[in-house]
Amino acid sequence: MKAVIANDHGAVELSRRIKSHLESRNIEVNWLGITTEDSCDYPDQAKKAVDEFRKGGYDFGVLCCGTGIGISISANKLDGIRCALPQNCFAAALAREHNDANFIAFGGRIAYQDKVEDMLDAYLDASFQGGRHARRVAKIMDLEK
Ligand code: RB5
């Protein structure tokens, strides 16, 4: 599997943790994040990761900002992207099972009840269930037209 990751200054450490967790699962990571806490703009980081994802060869992307909110909103403005912002492992698994999310976002300044690594595992270990969910995902994508 291959993933692209990007972050802003609100999630430098979290982004590093995510990179090493994915690599520990033998997932190839293209890390486009920033490495310092110098301020940058999360819409630019979302676009950078999505542009890379669209080149092909990627299974999913991970986006991080202070809350995960701004960078996920930005990614969801871009055609073809379904970026989930899970609250816990349950939501992370359903992001794949029901929503077929191709990006997942987290907040570096959020005190999650579940570890981000566990949420990532829940997302990665789940599979899209299709059926009625495929109909709904198709309707989401039709909203882009
Ligand atoms: C940056 O200060 C902060 O606004 C950003 O990381 C994120 O939380 C926005 O949603």
Side-chain angles (χ1 to χ4, degrees):
M1 289 183 95
K2 188 171 174 188
V4 60
I5 304 180
N7 62 279
D8 79 354
H9 54 283
V12 172
E13 187 49 39
L14 177 63
S15 180
R16 281 204 187 96
R17 268 174 53 200
I18 289 172
K19 177 178 185 289
S20 49
H21 184 67
L22 294 180
E23 287 172 344
S24 78
R25 289 186 56 130
N26 293 318
I27 294 170
E28 186 185 343
V29 172
N30 184 0
W31 192 49
L32 305 178
I34 60 156
T35 56
T36 74
E37 289 177 11
D38 293 344
S39 186
C40 69
D41 295 337
Y42 53 79
D44 299 335
Q45 296 302 101
K47 178 144 188 336
K48 187 162 56 168
V50 169
D51 284 348
E52 180 61 27
F53 180 80
R54 284 174 173 162
K55 290 179 185 170
Y58 290 92
D59 296 285
F60 67 100
V62 185
L63 295 171
C64 303
C65 66
T67 58
I69 296 171
I71 204 160
S72 59
I73 290 173
S74 303
N76 281 317
K77 294 282 183 191
L78 299 169
D79 283 358
I81 303 307
R82 293 180 302 283
C83 182
L85 179 60
Q87 308 92 325
N88 52 35
C89 289
F90 173 75
L94 289 199
R96 178 156 272 189
E97 290 177 9
H98 289 191
N99 311 118
D100 200 20
N102 48 15
F103 269 75
I104 188 163
F106 298 100
R109 296 173 180 158
I110 300 294
Y112 288 107
Q113 80 185 60
D114 294 339
K115 281 181 62 181
V116 167
E117 287 86 348
D118 293 341
M119 289 194 268
L120 274 171
D121 287 344
Y123 170 74
L124 291 169
D125 294 339
S127 308
F128 182 49
Q129 289 180 348
R132 68 186 186 282
H133 304 297
R135 182 183 70 241
R136 292 165 186 162
V137 169
K139 286 187 177 185
I140 293 174
M141 302 324 289
D142 281 349
L143 296 172
E144 290 179 354
K145 293 177 188 160

PDB file of all heavy atoms in Angstrom, residues 3-39:
ATOM      1  N   ALA A   3       0.695   5.623   0.734  1.00  0.00           N
ATOM      2  CA  ALA A   3      -0.091   6.750   1.258  1.00  0.00           C
ATOM      3  C   ALA A   3       0.671   8.047   1.074  1.00  0.00           C
ATOM      4  O   ALA A   3       1.903   8.076   1.072  1.00  0.00           O
ATOM      5  CB  ALA A   3      -0.378   6.541   2.743  1.00  0.00           C
ATOM      6  N   VAL A   4      -0.108   9.122   0.939  1.00  0.00           N
ATOM      7  CA  VAL A   4       0.480  10.454   0.946  1.00  0.00           C
ATOM      8  C   VAL A   4       0.014  11.150   2.229  1.00  0.00           C
ATOM      9  O   VAL A   4      -1.134  10.973   2.647  1.00  0.00           O
ATOM     10  CB  VAL A   4       0.094  11.242  -0.325  1.00  0.00           C
ATOM     11  CG1 VAL A   4      -1.396  11.414  -0.477  1.00  0.00           C
ATOM     12  CG2 VAL A   4       0.799  12.596  -0.375  1.00  0.00           C
ATOM     13  N   ILE A   5       0.913  11.890   2.847  1.00  0.00           N
ATOM     14  CA  ILE A   5       0.590  12.601   4.090  1.00  0.00           C
ATOM     15  C   ILE A   5       0.991  14.061   3.932  1.00  0.00           C
ATOM     16  O   ILE A   5       2.046  14.354   3.365  1.00  0.00           O
ATOM     17  CB  ILE A   5       1.375  12.050   5.308  1.00  0.00           C
ATOM     18  CG1 ILE A   5       1.147  10.561   5.496  1.00  0.00           C
ATOM     19  CG2 ILE A   5       1.014  12.797   6.588  1.00  0.00           C
ATOM     20  CD1 ILE A   5       1.912   9.989   6.695  1.00  0.00           C
ATOM     21  N   ALA A   6       0.153  14.944   4.463  1.00  0.00           N
ATOM     22  CA  ALA A   6       0.560  16.348   4.579  1.00  0.00           C
ATOM     23  C   ALA A   6      -0.003  16.913   5.884  1.00  0.00           C
ATOM     24  O   ALA A   6      -0.995  16.409   6.418  1.00  0.00           O
ATOM     25  CB  ALA A   6       0.082  17.169   3.386  1.00  0.00           C
ATOM     26  N   ASN A   7       0.628  17.948   6.358  1.00  0.00           N
ATOM     27  CA  ASN A   7       0.197  18.570   7.618  1.00  0.00           C
ATOM     28  C   ASN A   7       0.532  20.050   7.600  1.00  0.00           C
ATOM     29  O   ASN A   7       1.342  20.504   6.791  1.00  0.00           O
ATOM     30  CB  ASN A   7       0.892  17.910   8.817  1.00  0.00           C
ATOM     31  CG  ASN A   7       2.398  18.077   8.786  1.00  0.00           C
ATOM     32  OD1 ASN A   7       3.095  17.329   8.088  1.00  0.00           O
ATOM     33  ND2 ASN A   7       2.911  19.058   9.511  1.00  0.00           N
ATOM     34  N   ASP A   8      -0.084  20.785   8.514  1.00  0.00           N
ATOM     35  CA  ASP A   8       0.350  22.165   8.742  1.00  0.00           C
ATOM     36  C   ASP A   8       1.118  22.210  10.065  1.00  0.00           C
ATOM     37  O   ASP A   8       1.431  21.169  10.661  1.00  0.00           O
ATOM     38  CB  ASP A   8      -0.838  23.150   8.658  1.00  0.00           C
ATOM     39  CG  ASP A   8      -1.700  23.187   9.918  1.00  0.00           C
ATOM     40  OD1 ASP A   8      -1.474  22.374  10.841  1.00  0.00           O
ATOM     41  OD2 ASP A   8      -2.609  24.039   9.977  1.00  0.00           O
ATOM     42  N   HIS A   9       1.377  23.428  10.519  1.00  0.00           N
ATOM     43  CA  HIS A   9       2.200  23.616  11.725  1.00  0.00           C
ATOM     44  C   HIS A   9       1.497  23.155  13.000  1.00  0.00           C
ATOM     45  O   HIS A   9       2.126  23.012  14.038  1.00  0.00           O
ATOM     46  CB  HIS A   9       2.565  25.100  11.857  1.00  0.00           C
ATOM     47  CG  HIS A   9       1.363  25.995  11.833  1.00  0.00           C
ATOM     48  ND1 HIS A   9       0.698  26.305  10.658  1.00  0.00           N
ATOM     49  CD2 HIS A   9       0.680  26.612  12.824  1.00  0.00           C
ATOM     50  CE1 HIS A   9      -0.327  27.080  10.935  1.00  0.00           C
ATOM     51  NE2 HIS A   9      -0.364  27.281  12.240  1.00  0.00           N
ATOM     52  N   GLY A  10       0.174  22.907  12.908  1.00  0.00           N
ATOM     53  CA  GLY A  10      -0.565  22.463  14.099  1.00  0.00           C
ATOM     54  C   GLY A  10      -0.450  20.969  14.367  1.00  0.00           C
ATOM     55  O   GLY A  10      -1.030  20.474  15.343  1.00  0.00           O
ATOM     56  N   ALA A  11       0.283  20.259  13.502  1.00  0.00           N
ATOM     57  CA  ALA A  11       0.304  18.795  13.657  1.00  0.00           C
ATOM     58  C   ALA A  11       1.634  18.195  13.207  1.00  0.00           C
ATOM     59  O   ALA A  11       1.662  17.100  12.643  1.00  0.00           O
ATOM     60  CB  ALA A  11      -0.848  18.190  12.853  1.00  0.00           C
ATOM     61  N   VAL A  12       2.718  18.894  13.474  1.00  0.00           N
ATOM     62  CA  VAL A  12       4.034  18.406  13.043  1.00  0.00           C
ATOM     63  C   VAL A  12       4.354  17.070  13.710  1.00  0.00           C
ATOM     64  O   VAL A  12       4.700  16.083  13.052  1.00  0.00           O
ATOM     65  CB  VAL A  12       5.133  19.462  13.340  1.00  0.00           C
ATOM     66  CG1 VAL A  12       6.518  18.905  13.073  1.00  0.00           C
ATOM     67  CG2 VAL A  12       4.889  20.725  12.510  1.00  0.00           C
ATOM     68  N   GLU A  13       4.209  17.030  15.024  1.00  0.00           N
ATOM     69  CA  GLU A  13       4.553  15.809  15.756  1.00  0.00           C
ATOM     70  C   GLU A  13       3.593  14.668  15.422  1.00  0.00           C
ATOM     71  O   GLU A  13       4.009  13.513  15.219  1.00  0.00           O
ATOM     72  CB  GLU A  13       4.554  16.101  17.273  1.00  0.00           C
ATOM     73  CG  GLU A  13       5.056  14.948  18.133  1.00  0.00           C
ATOM     74  CD  GLU A  13       6.394  14.366  17.638  1.00  0.00           C
ATOM     75  OE1 GLU A  13       7.273  15.142  17.212  1.00  0.00           O
ATOM     76  OE2 GLU A  13       6.540  13.129  17.649  1.00  0.00           O
ATOM     77  N   LEU A  14       2.306  14.985  15.339  1.00  0.00           N
ATOM     78  CA  LEU A  14       1.318  13.942  15.011  1.00  0.00           C
ATOM     79  C   LEU A  14       1.603  13.362  13.624  1.00  0.00           C
ATOM     80  O   LEU A  14       1.544  12.134  13.426  1.00  0.00           O
ATOM     81  CB  LEU A  14      -0.103  14.512  15.053  1.00  0.00           C
ATOM     82  CG  LEU A  14      -1.191  13.516  14.662  1.00  0.00           C
ATOM     83  CD1 LEU A  14      -1.237  12.334  15.639  1.00  0.00           C
ATOM     84  CD2 LEU A  14      -2.555  14.192  14.590  1.00  0.00           C
ATOM     85  N   SER A  15       1.933  14.209  12.698  1.00  0.00           N
ATOM     86  CA  SER A  15       2.207  13.750  11.340  1.00  0.00           C
ATOM     87  C   SER A  15       3.410  12.796  11.320  1.00  0.00           C
ATOM     88  O   SER A  15       3.404  11.779  10.626  1.00  0.00           O
ATOM     89  CB  SER A  15       2.452  14.983  10.470  1.00  0.00           C
ATOM     90  OG  SER A  15       2.718  14.616   9.167  1.00  0.00           O
ATOM     91  N   ARG A  16       4.425  13.109  12.113  1.00  0.00           N
ATOM     92  CA  ARG A  16       5.597  12.222  12.224  1.00  0.00           C
ATOM     93  C   ARG A  16       5.177  10.864  12.797  1.00  0.00           C
ATOM     94  O   ARG A  16       5.610   9.818  12.338  1.00  0.00           O
ATOM     95  CB  ARG A  16       6.642  12.828  13.166  1.00  0.00           C
ATOM     96  CG  ARG A  16       7.471  13.894  12.562  1.00  0.00           C
ATOM     97  CD  ARG A  16       8.811  14.022  13.305  1.00  0.00           C
ATOM     98  NE  ARG A  16       9.522  15.184  12.797  1.00  0.00           N
ATOM     99  CZ  ARG A  16       9.498  16.383  13.369  1.00  0.00           C
ATOM    100  NH1 ARG A  16       8.847  16.584  14.489  1.00  0.00           N
ATOM    101  NH2 ARG A  16      10.169  17.385  12.834  1.00  0.00           N
ATOM    102  N   ARG A  17       4.336  10.919  13.829  1.00  0.00           N
ATOM    103  CA  ARG A  17       3.861   9.662  14.449  1.00  0.00           C
ATOM    104  C   ARG A  17       3.099   8.825  13.438  1.00  0.00           C
ATOM    105  O   ARG A  17       3.252   7.601  13.379  1.00  0.00           O
ATOM    106  CB  ARG A  17       2.918   9.990  15.619  1.00  0.00           C
ATOM    107  CG  ARG A  17       3.593  10.102  16.963  1.00  0.00           C
ATOM    108  CD  ARG A  17       2.613  10.569  18.027  1.00  0.00           C
ATOM    109  NE  ARG A  17       1.401   9.773  18.117  1.00  0.00           N
ATOM    110  CZ  ARG A  17       0.261  10.196  18.680  1.00  0.00           C
ATOM    111  NH1 ARG A  17       0.182  11.408  19.204  1.00  0.00           N
ATOM    112  NH2 ARG A  17      -0.786   9.408  18.744  1.00  0.00           N
ATOM    113  N   ILE A  18       2.261   9.480  12.667  1.00  0.00           N
ATOM    114  CA  ILE A  18       1.454   8.754  11.673  1.00  0.00           C
ATOM    115  C   ILE A  18       2.362   8.124  10.619  1.00  0.00           C
ATOM    116  O   ILE A  18       2.187   6.958  10.250  1.00  0.00           O
ATOM    117  CB  ILE A  18       0.411   9.703  11.048  1.00  0.00           C
ATOM    118  CG1 ILE A  18      -0.661  10.025  12.086  1.00  0.00           C
ATOM    119  CG2 ILE A  18      -0.200   9.099   9.784  1.00  0.00           C
ATOM    120  CD1 ILE A  18      -1.653  11.100  11.674  1.00  0.00           C
ATOM    121  N   LYS A  19       3.363   8.884  10.171  1.00  0.00           N
ATOM    122  CA  LYS A  19       4.297   8.342   9.170  1.00  0.00           C
ATOM    123  C   LYS A  19       4.959   7.081   9.714  1.00  0.00           C
ATOM    124  O   LYS A  19       4.991   6.046   9.048  1.00  0.00           O
ATOM    125  CB  LYS A  19       5.358   9.400   8.841  1.00  0.00           C
ATOM    126  CG  LYS A  19       6.413   8.925   7.867  1.00  0.00           C
ATOM    127  CD  LYS A  19       7.402  10.068   7.574  1.00  0.00           C
ATOM    128  CE  LYS A  19       8.420   9.705   6.519  1.00  0.00           C
ATOM    129  NZ  LYS A  19       9.403   8.740   6.960  1.00  0.00           N
ATOM    130  N   SER A  20       5.462   7.147  10.945  1.00  0.00           N
ATOM    131  CA  SER A  20       6.159   5.950  11.429  1.00  0.00           C
ATOM    132  C   SER A  20       5.196   4.805  11.703  1.00  0.00           C
ATOM    133  O   SER A  20       5.541   3.645  11.478  1.00  0.00           O
ATOM    134  CB  SER A  20       7.077   6.223  12.616  1.00  0.00           C
ATOM    135  OG  SER A  20       6.439   6.935  13.566  1.00  0.00           O
ATOM    136  N   HIS A  21       3.972   5.125  12.090  1.00  0.00           N
ATOM    137  CA  HIS A  21       3.013   4.032  12.293  1.00  0.00           C
ATOM    138  C   HIS A  21       2.690   3.338  10.972  1.00  0.00           C
ATOM    139  O   HIS A  21       2.651   2.103  10.896  1.00  0.00           O
ATOM    140  CB  HIS A  21       1.729   4.554  12.945  1.00  0.00           C
ATOM    141  CG  HIS A  21       0.769   3.459  13.249  1.00  0.00           C
ATOM    142  ND1 HIS A  21       1.015   2.488  14.200  1.00  0.00           N
ATOM    143  CD2 HIS A  21      -0.424   3.130  12.691  1.00  0.00           C
ATOM    144  CE1 HIS A  21       0.016   1.627  14.222  1.00  0.00           C
ATOM    145  NE2 HIS A  21      -0.876   1.991  13.313  1.00  0.00           N
ATOM    146  N   LEU A  22       2.457   4.124   9.945  1.00  0.00           N
ATOM    147  CA  LEU A  22       2.139   3.517   8.641  1.00  0.00           C
ATOM    148  C   LEU A  22       3.318   2.691   8.148  1.00  0.00           C
ATOM    149  O   LEU A  22       3.145   1.578   7.632  1.00  0.00           O
ATOM    150  CB  LEU A  22       1.754   4.593   7.630  1.00  0.00           C
ATOM    151  CG  LEU A  22       0.458   5.352   7.934  1.00  0.00           C
ATOM    152  CD1 LEU A  22       0.185   6.392   6.842  1.00  0.00           C
ATOM    153  CD2 LEU A  22      -0.744   4.416   8.066  1.00  0.00           C
ATOM    154  N   GLU A  23       4.517   3.225   8.312  1.00  0.00           N
ATOM    155  CA  GLU A  23       5.700   2.476   7.863  1.00  0.00           C
ATOM    156  C   GLU A  23       5.862   1.184   8.651  1.00  0.00           C
ATOM    157  O   GLU A  23       6.299   0.178   8.106  1.00  0.00           O
ATOM    158  CB  GLU A  23       6.938   3.364   7.954  1.00  0.00           C
ATOM    159  CG  GLU A  23       6.926   4.427   6.857  1.00  0.00           C
ATOM    160  CD  GLU A  23       8.014   5.471   6.970  1.00  0.00           C
ATOM    161  OE1 GLU A  23       8.630   5.588   8.049  1.00  0.00           O
ATOM    162  OE2 GLU A  23       8.231   6.196   5.977  1.00  0.00           O
ATOM    163  N   SER A  24       5.459   1.205   9.926  1.00  0.00           N
ATOM    164  CA  SER A  24       5.544  -0.034  10.720  1.00  0.00           C
ATOM    165  C   SER A  24       4.570  -1.086  10.195  1.00  0.00           C
ATOM    166  O   SER A  24       4.706  -2.263  10.479  1.00  0.00           O
ATOM    167  CB  SER A  24       5.275   0.252  12.203  1.00  0.00           C
ATOM    168  OG  SER A  24       3.889   0.405  12.428  1.00  0.00           O
ATOM    169  N   ARG A  25       3.583  -0.630   9.418  1.00  0.00           N
ATOM    170  CA  ARG A  25       2.643  -1.565   8.769  1.00  0.00           C
ATOM    171  C   ARG A  25       3.058  -1.848   7.324  1.00  0.00           C
ATOM    172  O   ARG A  25       2.271  -2.361   6.537  1.00  0.00           O
ATOM    173  CB  ARG A  25       1.228  -0.977   8.781  1.00  0.00           C
ATOM    174  CG  ARG A  25       0.570  -0.950  10.152  1.00  0.00           C
ATOM    175  CD  ARG A  25      -0.878  -0.481  10.041  1.00  0.00           C
ATOM    176  NE  ARG A  25      -1.653  -1.294   9.121  1.00  0.00           N
ATOM    177  CZ  ARG A  25      -2.839  -1.843   9.383  1.00  0.00           C
ATOM    178  NH1 ARG A  25      -3.406  -1.686  10.567  1.00  0.00           N
ATOM    179  NH2 ARG A  25      -3.467  -2.558   8.472  1.00  0.00           N
ATOM    180  N   ASN A  26       4.287  -1.519   7.004  1.00  0.00           N
ATOM    181  CA  ASN A  26       4.817  -1.736   5.648  1.00  0.00           C
ATOM    182  C   ASN A  26       4.064  -0.961   4.579  1.00  0.00           C
ATOM    183  O   ASN A  26       3.965  -1.407   3.436  1.00  0.00           O
ATOM    184  CB  ASN A  26       4.852  -3.226   5.287  1.00  0.00           C
ATOM    185  CG  ASN A  26       5.856  -3.965   6.126  1.00  0.00           C
ATOM    186  OD1 ASN A  26       6.952  -3.468   6.355  1.00  0.00           O
ATOM    187  ND2 ASN A  26       5.471  -5.127   6.624  1.00  0.00           N
ATOM    188  N   ILE A  27       3.545   0.185   4.959  1.00  0.00           N
ATOM    189  CA  ILE A  27       2.900   1.072   3.996  1.00  0.00           C
ATOM    190  C   ILE A  27       3.939   2.097   3.558  1.00  0.00           C
ATOM    191  O   ILE A  27       4.608   2.713   4.401  1.00  0.00           O
ATOM    192  CB  ILE A  27       1.669   1.757   4.621  1.00  0.00           C
ATOM    193  CG1 ILE A  27       0.595   0.698   4.920  1.00  0.00           C
ATOM    194  CG2 ILE A  27       1.128   2.858   3.713  1.00  0.00           C
ATOM    195  CD1 ILE A  27      -0.562   1.198   5.760  1.00  0.00           C
ATOM    196  N   GLU A  28       4.092   2.230   2.245  1.00  0.00           N
ATOM    197  CA  GLU A  28       5.025   3.235   1.718  1.00  0.00           C
ATOM    198  C   GLU A  28       4.399   4.614   1.900  1.00  0.00           C
ATOM    199  O   GLU A  28       3.221   4.804   1.584  1.00  0.00           O
ATOM    200  CB  GLU A  28       5.275   2.947   0.233  1.00  0.00           C
ATOM    201  CG  GLU A  28       6.318   3.822  -0.398  1.00  0.00           C
ATOM    202  CD  GLU A  28       6.452   3.581  -1.901  1.00  0.00           C
ATOM    203  OE1 GLU A  28       5.977   2.539  -2.391  1.00  0.00           O
ATOM    204  OE2 GLU A  28       7.003   4.462  -2.567  1.00  0.00           O
ATOM    205  N   VAL A  29       5.186   5.536   2.436  1.00  0.00           N
ATOM    206  CA  VAL A  29       4.649   6.863   2.741  1.00  0.00           C
ATOM    207  C   VAL A  29       5.398   7.935   1.958  1.00  0.00           C
ATOM    208  O   VAL A  29       6.623   7.982   1.966  1.00  0.00           O
ATOM    209  CB  VAL A  29       4.770   7.155   4.256  1.00  0.00           C
ATOM    210  CG1 VAL A  29       4.398   8.602   4.559  1.00  0.00           C
ATOM    211  CG2 VAL A  29       3.896   6.201   5.058  1.00  0.00           C
ATOM    212  N   ASN A  30       4.646   8.774   1.274  1.00  0.00           N
ATOM    213  CA  ASN A  30       5.217   9.987   0.680  1.00  0.00           C
ATOM    214  C   ASN A  30       4.769  11.137   1.578  1.00  0.00           C
ATOM    215  O   ASN A  30       3.606  11.538   1.567  1.00  0.00           O
ATOM    216  CB  ASN A  30       4.708  10.173  -0.752  1.00  0.00           C
ATOM    217  CG  ASN A  30       5.368  11.364  -1.429  1.00  0.00           C
ATOM    218  OD1 ASN A  30       6.195  12.049  -0.832  1.00  0.00           O
ATOM    219  ND2 ASN A  30       4.982  11.615  -2.666  1.00  0.00           N
ATOM    220  N   TRP A  31       5.692  11.608   2.365  1.00  0.00           N
ATOM    221  CA  TRP A  31       5.374  12.615   3.386  1.00  0.00           C
ATOM    222  C   TRP A  31       5.649  14.008   2.836  1.00  0.00           C
ATOM    223  O   TRP A  31       6.799  14.363   2.573  1.00  0.00           O
ATOM    224  CB  TRP A  31       6.203  12.353   4.643  1.00  0.00           C
ATOM    225  CG  TRP A  31       5.756  13.127   5.832  1.00  0.00           C
ATOM    226  CD1 TRP A  31       4.487  13.243   6.318  1.00  0.00           C
ATOM    227  CD2 TRP A  31       6.580  13.899   6.702  1.00  0.00           C
ATOM    228  NE1 TRP A  31       4.470  14.029   7.439  1.00  0.00           N
ATOM    229  CE2 TRP A  31       5.742  14.447   7.698  1.00  0.00           C
ATOM    230  CE3 TRP A  31       7.946  14.171   6.745  1.00  0.00           C
ATOM    231  CZ2 TRP A  31       6.222  15.250   8.724  1.00  0.00           C
ATOM    232  CZ3 TRP A  31       8.427  14.979   7.771  1.00  0.00           C
ATOM    233  CH2 TRP A  31       7.563  15.503   8.742  1.00  0.00           C
ATOM    234  N   LEU A  32       4.597  14.785   2.654  1.00  0.00           N
ATOM    235  CA  LEU A  32       4.720  16.135   2.101  1.00  0.00           C
ATOM    236  C   LEU A  32       4.523  17.196   3.179  1.00  0.00           C
ATOM    237  O   LEU A  32       4.314  18.369   2.877  1.00  0.00           O
ATOM    238  CB  LEU A  32       3.679  16.345   0.993  1.00  0.00           C
ATOM    239  CG  LEU A  32       3.688  15.330  -0.145  1.00  0.00           C
ATOM    240  CD1 LEU A  32       2.568  15.637  -1.137  1.00  0.00           C
ATOM    241  CD2 LEU A  32       5.033  15.326  -0.853  1.00  0.00           C
ATOM    242  N   GLY A  33       4.547  16.758   4.412  1.00  0.00           N
ATOM    243  CA  GLY A  33       4.255  17.670   5.507  1.00  0.00           C
ATOM    244  C   GLY A  33       5.379  18.645   5.779  1.00  0.00           C
ATOM    245  O   GLY A  33       6.492  18.497   5.274  1.00  0.00           O
ATOM    246  N   ILE A  34       5.069  19.635   6.593  1.00  0.00           N
ATOM    247  CA  ILE A  34       6.121  20.559   6.996  1.00  0.00           C
ATOM    248  C   ILE A  34       6.735  20.041   8.289  1.00  0.00           C
ATOM    249  O   ILE A  34       6.083  19.360   9.090  1.00  0.00           O
ATOM    250  CB  ILE A  34       5.603  22.000   7.162  1.00  0.00           C
ATOM    251  CG1 ILE A  34       4.498  22.078   8.223  1.00  0.00           C
ATOM    252  CG2 ILE A  34       5.131  22.559   5.847  1.00  0.00           C
ATOM    253  CD1 ILE A  34       4.380  23.461   8.803  1.00  0.00           C
ATOM    254  N   THR A  35       7.998  20.379   8.491  1.00  0.00           N
ATOM    255  CA  THR A  35       8.737  19.811   9.616  1.00  0.00           C
ATOM    256  C   THR A  35       8.980  20.816  10.722  1.00  0.00           C
ATOM    257  O   THR A  35       9.595  20.488  11.721  1.00  0.00           O
ATOM    258  CB  THR A  35      10.101  19.273   9.134  1.00  0.00           C
ATOM    259  OG1 THR A  35      10.781  20.354   8.495  1.00  0.00           O
ATOM    260  CG2 THR A  35       9.930  18.125   8.165  1.00  0.00           C
ATOM    261  N   THR A  36       8.538  22.051  10.520  1.00  0.00           N
ATOM    262  CA  THR A  36       8.735  23.042  11.565  1.00  0.00           C
ATOM    263  C   THR A  36       7.379  23.616  11.956  1.00  0.00           C
ATOM    264  O   THR A  36       6.401  23.421  11.239  1.00  0.00           O
ATOM    265  CB  THR A  36       9.606  24.219  11.078  1.00  0.00           C
ATOM    266  OG1 THR A  36       8.817  25.021  10.200  1.00  0.00           O
ATOM    267  CG2 THR A  36      10.858  23.736  10.387  1.00  0.00           C
ATOM    268  N   GLU A  37       7.360  24.322  13.055  1.00  0.00           N
ATOM    269  CA  GLU A  37       6.100  24.918  13.475  1.00  0.00           C
ATOM    270  C   GLU A  37       5.920  26.327  12.930  1.00  0.00           C
ATOM    271  O   GLU A  37       5.053  27.065  13.380  1.00  0.00           O
ATOM    272  CB  GLU A  37       5.962  24.819  14.999  1.00  0.00           C
ATOM    273  CG  GLU A  37       5.716  23.353  15.335  1.00  0.00           C
ATOM    274  CD  GLU A  37       5.618  23.008  16.798  1.00  0.00           C
ATOM    275  OE1 GLU A  37       5.533  23.926  17.619  1.00  0.00           O
ATOM    276  OE2 GLU A  37       5.634  21.804  17.087  1.00  0.00           O
ATOM    277  N   ASP A  38       6.705  26.664  11.900  1.00  0.00           N
ATOM    278  CA  ASP A  38       6.489  27.939  11.210  1.00  0.00           C
ATOM    279  C   ASP A  38       5.127  27.874  10.536  1.00  0.00           C
ATOM    280  O   ASP A  38       4.788  26.882   9.887  1.00  0.00           O
ATOM    281  CB  ASP A  38       7.570  28.174  10.144  1.00  0.00           C
ATOM    282  CG  ASP A  38       8.940  28.389  10.783  1.00  0.00           C
ATOM    283  OD1 ASP A  38       8.982  28.660  12.001  1.00  0.00           O
ATOM    284  OD2 ASP A  38       9.942  28.242  10.077  1.00  0.00           O
ATOM    285  N   SER A  39       4.374  28.945  10.673  1.00  0.00           N
ATOM    286  CA  SER A  39       2.995  28.950  10.202  1.00  0.00           C
ATOM    287  C   SER A  39       2.901  28.730   8.688  1.00  0.00           C
ATOM    288  O   SER A  39       3.665  29.288   7.911  1.00  0.00           O
ATOM    289  CB  SER A  39       2.390  30.305  10.575  1.00  0.00           C
ATOM    290  OG  SER A  39       1.034  30.305  10.270  1.00  0.00           O
TER     291      SER A  39
END
